[in-house]
Amino acid sequence: MKQPQARIAAEGGLLQNKAYLALMASQLISNLGDWLHILALLTMIGLKWEATPWQITATMLCMLIPMLLGGPAAGVLADRMERKKLMIVADAVRFVIVLGLVFVTHLWQVYALLIAKSVFDVLFSPAKNGKIKEVVLPEHMEKAVSYSAIIEQGSKIIGPALGGMLTVAFGITSCFMIDAASFLLSGLILLAVPGRRAGAGSSAEVDNPGEKPGFWGELTEGVKAIARIPLIAFGLLMLAMALLILQVADSQTVVLFREIPGMPEDMLGWSIALSGFGTLAAAGLNGLLRRCTPLMKMGTGGVLLGAVFAGAGYFAVSGGLLGASGHALMLALYFLAGTGAGLVFIPFQVTLQQRTPESLTGRVFGTVTSVTSAAAVAGPMFGGYIVTAFGPAPAFISGFSQLSTRSVRNKKPPAMRVEGSRV
């Protein structure tokens, strides 16, 4: 059988794969635009409209809850429909939605537009991951996922800085318009991506040619597929635990820093930036640790995360950091925290792409999106509770020390050694 053109191009090397490069260009433009939009949004409602803390929390929930609830359904659509068309439609609709933010005058209008945008965000994500599976050869998958992570983390570093400059120079409206334009440009770039390759169908067609399960039957296929692959199931559990802890840390780091005498006001921004650079470093480190199994990498990342944040708590208890050397040490800790996060996220994403059947990619990634969104929603709430109850330093020390202990125990779970596979 003649190979599809995208697969023939992929054999020349990942960076010669035009379909993959188009996907990554689309991701880069969209990610940069999104960070402009988020910064402008928080500036508008937090500073210009003087929103209350609960109103700001509600704003973030409007972006997260559709992902929490809609992941599996979006995965079904990504496996049923042509993924390229689904991504282009999602970009086109998000172009209109984000442009609408230019004209809002009330907070409820912001909430409505954010919910609508998040619905199409969750439609785009499993379709994109499924498309990567279509156009990238298995031997290139690790690099493909690493490059995608580099783009995502790099945009988190560049995007806010760019957004701040544009907001000061041209105003909040310009950021919304640029983000809207980024979705339009992303959709145009996706026209260069080939359609569904020949022979790729839904899981029902592949596994049971004579049967066509209903929508609800297909909705559960993502969960069942994860349960059938213990490595993915256990990795998802570790990922959710690490993401929960990260959300606790992200939401409460500013409270911890307030407890440390002499902490510079700009330390929070620098710490976030250094954590992003740490995740970039993890993308390169992941390729060097080829002899380590995915769970070993994830366990090491969890240990690093727990140790770093517990160390930050100990600094607060001991009376804080003294002088420039102490501040440099705190920045180094957050760089290591980003490295730990990358060692958790990237190996899991690589494993997910490698082990998931192409016909189920959308549903599996949609289910993963729902689980990770649940952790993202629960993290700030849980963090607020434990910090209020015990104080920031004790919460960081006890909670993150437990993460390190559990990660060490979870590096080589006996139950994961199944069917002769190397876990």
Side-chain angles (χ1 to χ4, degrees):
M1 181 181 291
K2 188 176 180 180
Q3 285 184 305
Q5 185 177 359
R7 288 295 173 109
I8 295 173
E11 290 179 352
L14 185 62
L15 297 182
Q16 283 73 49
N17 185 338
K18 293 181 180 179
Y20 173 75
L21 293 178
L23 281 173
M24 292 302 99
S26 170
Q27 177 186 339
L28 175 61
I29 292 167
S30 293
N31 285 358
L32 284 174
D34 272 342
W35 278 104
L36 299 181
H37 143 264
I38 290 172
L39 183 67
L41 182 67
L42 292 176
T43 301
M44 181 177 73
I45 67 172
L47 298 180
K48 187 177 179 181
W49 293 1
E50 297 183 350
T52 67
W54 279 113
Q55 288 173 329
I56 294 174
T57 299
T59 301
M60 304 308 293
L61 289 177
C62 286
M63 292 187 278
L64 287 172
I65 288 178
M67 295 186 178
L68 168 62
L69 301 178
V76 172
L77 292 176
D79 288 337
R80 278 187 171 188
M81 299 176 61
E82 164 54 53
R83 290 162 180 158
K84 170 185 173 179
K85 293 179 181 177
L86 189 59
M87 288 188 289
I88 292 174
V89 168
D91 274 342
V93 175
R94 288 185 293 178
F95 162 72
V96 175
I97 292 171
V98 175
L99 201 59
L101 288 170
V102 173
F103 307 101
V104 295
T105 55
H106 297 87
L107 201 54
W108 69 265
Q109 297 169 338
V110 173
Y111 293 158
L113 288 174
L114 289 180
I115 291 172
K117 178 181 179 294
S118 185
V119 168
F120 287 92
D121 287 340
V122 76
L123 283 175
F124 185 92
S125 181
K128 184 204 80 171
N129 285 297
K131 203 65 190 176
I132 290 177
K133 182 83 171 182
E134 287 183 26
V135 302
V136 174
L137 293 173
E139 57 267 29
H140 297 156
M141 191 59 69
E142 189 167 351
K143 284 186 177 180
V145 174
S146 295
Y147 291 157
S148 179
I150 288 172
I151 290 172
E152 183 173 350
Q153 295 304 318
S155 66
K156 289 181 182 179
I157 297 169
I158 299 171
L162 184 60
M165 290 188 292
L166 289 173
T167 300
V168 171
F170 303 107
I172 294 173
T173 299
S174 67
C175 290
F176 291 139
M177 296 180 70
I178 292 171
D179 186 29
S182 74
F183 286 116
L184 186 61
L185 182 56
S186 171
L188 292 173
I189 291 173
L190 288 173
L191 293 173
V193 177
R196 189 185 294 272
R197 67 184 182 87
S202 70
S203 63
E205 294 168 346
V206 173
D207 300 333
N208 302 291
E211 297 181 29
K212 286 188 177 180
F215 180 83
W216 293 107
E218 290 193 53
L219 198 66
T220 61
E221 279 299 309
V223 177
K224 291 178 181 177
I226 291 172
R228 287 194 297 264
I229 308 174
L231 175 58
I232 293 179
F234 198 84
L236 180 57
L237 178 63
M238 293 181 67
L239 176 68
M241 183 171 66
L243 186 58
L244 177 69
I245 295 299
L246 274 174
Q247 291 297 321
V248 171
D250 286 348
S251 62
Q252 299 302 321
T253 290
V254 64
V255 180
L256 179 72
F257 280 10
R258 285 206 308 250
E259 299 290 313
I260 302 176
M263 180 65 71
E265 292 183 358
D266 61 351
M267 181 61 72
L268 179 62
W270 283 108
S271 297
I272 293 172
L274 264 293
S275 69
F277 281 112
T279 308
L280 291 178
L285 189 60
N286 183 68
L288 298 177
L289 300 175
R290 295 186 182 277
R291 294 187 178 182
C292 297
T293 64
L295 286 183
M296 288 177 64
K297 295 176 187 177
M298 294 182 71
T300 301
V303 170
L304 198 54
L305 274 174
V308 164
F309 287 129
Y314 279 115
F315 277 122
V317 169
S318 64
L321 304 172
L322 300 176
S325 60
H327 299 158
L329 181 57
M330 179 62 82
L331 293 175
L333 285 175
Y334 273 81
F335 175 84
L336 291 175
T339 305
L343 287 176
V344 174
F345 299 154
I346 296 173
F348 178 76
Q349 291 288 330
V350 172
T351 302
L352 200 61
Q353 286 282 10
Q354 290 175 337
R355 297 294 186 94
T356 304
E358 186 177 313
S359 59
L360 288 170
T361 304
R363 275 159 286 184
V364 169
F365 272 93
T367 302
V368 169
T369 296
S370 289
V371 173
T372 55
S373 297
V377 170
M381 297 180 182
F382 178 63
Y385 168 74
I386 63 172
V387 169
T388 301
F390 305 106
F396 269 65
I397 293 169
S398 61
F400 298 126
S401 295
Q402 289 181 14
L403 173 63
S404 290
T405 302
R406 291 179 182 178
S407 296
V408 169
R409 292 174 182 172
N410 291 342
K411 280 186 181 181
K412 296 180 181 179
M416 295 299 296
R417 300 185 180 279
V418 294
E419 298 177 7
S421 61
R422 190 169 85 93
V423 177

